[in-house]
Amino acid sequence: MSFRPDGIGTVTVEEKEHFEEIKERLRVLLENQITHFRYCFPFGRPEGALKATLSLLERVLMKDIVTPVPQEDVKAVIRRCLEQAALVNYQRLSEYAKLEGKKREMYEHPVFCLASQVMDLTIQNVGRLVTPAKKLEDNIRLSELVIEVLQQNEEHHAEAFAWWSDLMVEHAETFLCLYSADMDAALEVQPPDSWDSFPLFQLLNDFLRMDYNLCNGKFHKHLQDLYAPLVVRYVDLMESSIAQSIHRGFERESWEPVK
């Protein structure tokens, strides 16, 4: 940078291009950190770092040092980051759940004492014969992990995104939408006359109805629609069973006058 006699600073085209290059690299770095916020700032640590990153991104998006960037432009960038974050978070969670499931199968398998190569082959063969009950069991475990991630986000990261809380709700719904594909696949193979999937509904519904932002949201309504026929059939069967029990009870009664 050079200065004119009147004290006004000037920059060369080369210096300006170099500055823009550094600014772009910084923008990419910041967006990557926001996309991977759960891993760059685990459990909100270092304290205040995520909030400072969001603030710095807003400054980097400015066209110059005096003109503030429109909030809608900032919001669009953060929305894009959080949409990608939902995909990254779910992919990693899904991989972790599969790895956890394989370890559980390995320790439960009778040939655990054999060489690791034999165990790996056995696990692969078992994986090809996944039963509906096993798929449901795995999905219930996955749902527990999904809830845990959403609770951690609310506890450790929501404050940093306070200005864009609606975007965090969208992020959670996108995350749940990705999970719903695995949930639907597990439920589709369940026997029609089985009530084994009710614990999954109870687990998810109890969590969602206590969350102000997710209660009756997109995923919650999908869950309700999915289980409505099963719940109605269960209530009808219970009503019929209770009515029959009462009727049989009346039949066994002896109606005799007493003094």
Side-chain angles (χ1 to χ4, degrees):
M1 176 182 290
S2 60
F3 289 90
R4 297 188 333 209
D6 55 8
I8 298 177
T10 61
V11 295
T12 65
V13 172
E14 183 180 355
E15 288 173 334
K16 185 177 184 300
E17 290 177 348
H18 185 54
F19 173 78
E20 292 297 335
E21 180 185 347
I22 295 175
K23 183 179 176 182
E24 178 63 16
R25 288 167 58 188
L26 179 58
R27 182 193 64 80
V28 172
L29 173 63
L30 294 173
E31 289 187 16
N32 182 71
Q33 288 184 329
I34 295 170
T35 297
H36 297 82
F37 68 89
R38 279 183 55 81
Y39 310 100
C40 292
F41 312 101
F43 302 103
R45 302 295 179 182
E47 188 174 352
L50 177 55
K51 190 174 183 179
T53 299
L54 291 164
S55 178
L56 181 57
L57 175 65
E58 189 170 357
R59 294 182 62 186
V60 169
L61 293 174
M62 294 171 63
K63 299 298 182 183
D64 54 62
I65 61 174
V66 295
T67 307
V69 62
Q71 284 299 301
E72 285 303 313
D73 293 353
V74 179
K75 191 171 185 177
V77 173
I78 295 177
R79 174 180 279 115
R80 186 175 67 248
C81 290
L82 290 180
E83 287 174 350
Q84 186 64 24
L87 180 60
V88 170
N89 293 345
Y90 189 72
Q91 285 177 338
R92 293 201 181 188
L93 184 69
S94 182
E95 290 169 2
Y96 171 78
K98 290 176 182 177
L99 180 63
E100 186 183 62
K102 284 185 177 181
K103 286 182 178 179
R104 190 165 58 247
E105 289 176 7
M106 182 166 59
Y107 282 102
E108 291 174 354
H109 204 276
V111 296
F112 176 63
C113 58
L114 299 180
S116 59
Q117 293 88 346
V118 177
M119 288 189 290
D120 289 341
L121 180 60
T122 304
I123 291 170
Q124 292 173 9
N125 291 334
V126 171
R128 298 191 188 101
L129 302 174
V130 178
T131 63
K134 182 64 171 61
K135 291 195 72 170
L136 180 61
E137 178 188 345
D138 290 345
N139 196 263
I140 290 176
R141 176 53 184 153
L142 180 58
S143 70
E144 293 172 344
L145 295 173
V146 165
I147 291 172
E148 187 177 335
V149 166
L150 292 174
Q151 290 174 332
Q152 289 176 355
N153 288 350
E154 179 63 28
E155 181 178 355
H156 302 294
H157 305 291
E159 184 180 354
F161 287 101
W163 280 100
W164 301 279
S165 57
D166 57 327
L167 298 185
M168 280 299 284
V169 176
E170 292 179 13
H171 165 76
E173 287 287 2
T174 303
F175 183 72
L176 287 168
C177 180
L178 294 168
Y179 162 71
S180 70
D182 287 327
M183 179 187 71
D184 293 351
L187 293 176
E188 284 175 0
V189 299
Q190 300 305 309
D193 57 346
S194 171
W195 313 107
D196 294 342
S197 66
F198 265 132
L200 175 61
F201 173 75
Q202 185 176 12
L203 178 67
L204 292 169
N205 188 59
D206 285 349
F207 166 71
L208 293 167
R209 67 187 180 86
M210 297 302 292
D211 189 299
Y212 175 80
N213 294 313
L214 299 178
C215 183
N216 292 322
K218 185 177 179 181
F219 176 79
H220 196 192
K221 289 180 179 177
H222 171 68
L223 183 72
Q224 292 169 346
D225 293 342
L226 200 62
Y227 272 90
L230 196 63
V231 172
V232 170
R233 189 157 62 89
Y234 179 80
V235 171
D236 288 344
L237 286 174
M238 289 299 100
E239 182 182 8
S240 175
S241 177
I242 292 171
Q244 290 178 10
S245 296
I246 294 174
H247 182 68
R248 293 194 193 98
F250 279 135
E251 288 180 341
R252 288 195 295 268
E253 292 287 345
S254 59
W255 300 94
E256 300 176 356
V258 294
K259 295 182 181 180

